[in-house]
Amino acid sequence: MKKRVFLQATAALAVLAAALPASAEDWKPTRPINLIVPWAAGGSTDQVTRITAAELEKILGQTIVIVNQPGASGAIGTRNALTADKDGYTWTAGAAQDLGAYQTLGSLNASIKDWHLFLNVANVSVLGVNPQRPWKTGKELIDAMKAKPGQISVATAGVTSAGHAAMDRIVSATGVKYKEVSYDGGNPAVLAAVAGETDLTSQLAVEQADMIRGKRLRPLGVVGEKPLELEGYGTIPSLSKDIPNLQAPLNYFGIFIPKGVPDNVIQTLEKIWAEKMPADAALKKYATSRGAVYDPLYGEAAQKAVFPAVQLNAWNIFNSGKAKVPPDTIGIPKP
């Protein structure tokens, strides 16, 4: 009798174990993972994604292939990741505020909630001016834009990019008009300002850092509430003094995996983000040297952290007449 009870209990435990999701340790990728960077090589997304991928390769024991697929302000590569087989072997990367804007733009029918977010750094935009231009402060540039509406050119990486979002926030706070020149990524936009093709760029500090240190761009200010300490340069002031009404939440970057992949893929990465990423030396060094904030987040904490920038970006795009879908109809209320 005791033997029969033991066998029944053993069988019940076996059934229960089979019903439970596989543990995080169970996912061992057996072939290379494709990680789509929907921007050109050398930009902010490409930089931090390559470092993150190299760190993940050490842990997962598998190659992660970076595939640059620029186009449509990041929407093309992101769509390819969304529509790929849901087997856990195709990821994408970028800025969460871009990911949350594609649905409003009508370029991708997926919201920020349709993705698992694995964040690595938060970035800030900087107004970096070609040294041959006369402006020395943010106030001088804003005054010039008001005096010459639509004439001062700004290089960005397109309508959903950090550079465009930064200018949208400046426009919203000041009413200035400018001439936008779009490129296929933050790095080409920065190089355009360096070469004098445009007057300035509003792309991220991580993309401008080397040019600022080399005095090939002059930083006028951070599009944010706090000044930025850039290693090898010094302090870049905040534009909040010159633009009191400026709203600029942190712009989080990371790796994004569409929902619907096997649970153990996500469990594995969540464990890595919880146990390994907070102390990752390579990513910390990148953040310190490039003027970024190292803040690895995942799950609901990541969704909560990115939403202020997603919300503000979506509504700035809508208010500027570029959106096809009102944000409040897809779960993004007015900020």
Side-chain angles (χ1 to χ4, degrees):
M1 183 67 177
K2 289 182 178 179
K3 184 176 182 180
R4 181 181 296 174
V5 172
F6 174 77
L7 290 173
Q8 289 174 339
T10 302
L13 286 172
V15 171
L16 178 60
L20 291 172
S23 66
E25 292 80 10
D26 285 346
W27 189 59
K28 299 292 184 183
T30 58
R31 66 179 191 272
I33 297 161
N34 288 324
L35 179 44
I36 297 172
V37 172
W39 302 97
S44 54
T45 298
D46 190 69
Q47 290 175 18
V48 73
T49 301
R50 289 181 184 275
I51 296 172
T52 306
E55 297 302 286
L56 288 173
E57 285 181 337
K58 299 173 187 176
I59 301 168
L60 294 173
Q62 186 55 261
T63 301
I64 299 176
V65 181
I66 304 295
V67 184
N68 292 93
Q69 293 182 355
S73 295
I76 291 176
T78 306
R79 183 187 300 111
N80 289 340
L82 182 68
T83 58
D85 291 340
K86 297 296 189 292
D87 54 12
Y89 285 87
T90 303
W91 308 346
T92 188
Q97 71 176 28
D98 299 351
L99 194 69
Y102 294 133
Q103 195 172 21
T104 293
L105 286 164
S107 54
L108 191 64
N109 188 23
S111 76
I112 196 78
K113 295 288 187 180
D114 293 319
W115 299 84
H116 295 283
L117 310 180
F118 295 94
L119 308 178
N120 38 41
V121 299
N123 285 310
V124 293
S125 290
V126 169
L127 295 186
V129 175
N130 182 288
Q132 302 303 313
R133 304 309 191 262
W135 317 294
K136 300 295 193 299
T137 66
K139 184 178 185 306
E140 288 181 6
L141 176 63
I142 297 302
D143 288 345
M145 285 183 166
K146 289 179 178 178
K148 300 178 179 179
Q151 295 183 42
I152 293 174
S153 58
V154 182
T156 79
V159 70
T160 68
S161 70
H164 181 94
M167 290 309 300
D168 268 355
R169 289 161 191 173
I170 290 172
V171 168
S172 179
T174 64
V176 298
K177 294 182 179 180
Y178 69 100
K179 179 183 178 181
E180 182 170 16
V181 185
S182 297
Y183 295 83
D184 277 337
N187 191 52
V190 170
L191 293 177
V194 170
E197 291 178 18
T198 65
D199 297 310
L200 68 146
T201 182
S202 52
Q203 286 296 130
L204 297 170
V206 295
E207 294 163 327
Q208 299 187 51
D210 288 338
M211 296 302 172
I212 291 172
R213 279 190 283 258
K215 298 183 179 180
R216 300 182 70 185
L217 284 176
R218 181 169 60 246
L220 301 188
V222 176
V223 187
E225 298 175 359
K226 298 179 180 180
L228 175 68
E229 291 295 328
L230 181 62
E231 188 178 83
Y233 173 79
T235 303
I236 301 174
S238 166
L239 288 172
S240 59
K241 181 179 179 181
D242 297 324
I243 310 174
N245 297 324
L246 184 65
Q247 291 181 292
L250 285 174
N251 185 6
Y252 278 91
F253 280 59
I255 289 172
F256 313 134
I257 304 176
K259 290 189 175 178
V261 303
D263 289 343
N264 60 347
V265 174
I266 302 306
Q267 290 167 3
T268 298
L269 288 176
E270 287 183 344
K271 183 176 181 181
I272 292 170
W273 250 254
E275 297 179 0
K276 302 290 186 182
M277 284 301 173
D280 189 272
L283 280 165
K284 282 186 175 181
K285 182 179 179 180
Y286 167 83
T288 301
S289 66
R290 307 299 295 184
V293 178
Y294 185 51
D295 193 15
L297 297 171
Y298 65 93
E300 285 304 312
Q303 291 282 348
K304 183 177 180 181
V306 305
F307 192 72
V310 168
Q311 185 181 32
L312 188 58
N313 193 34
W315 278 97
N316 279 342
I317 290 171
F318 178 74
N319 291 334
S320 64
K322 302 180 184 75
K324 293 183 178 180
V325 181
D328 54 357
T329 65
I330 52 174
I332 305 177
K334 284 187 177 181

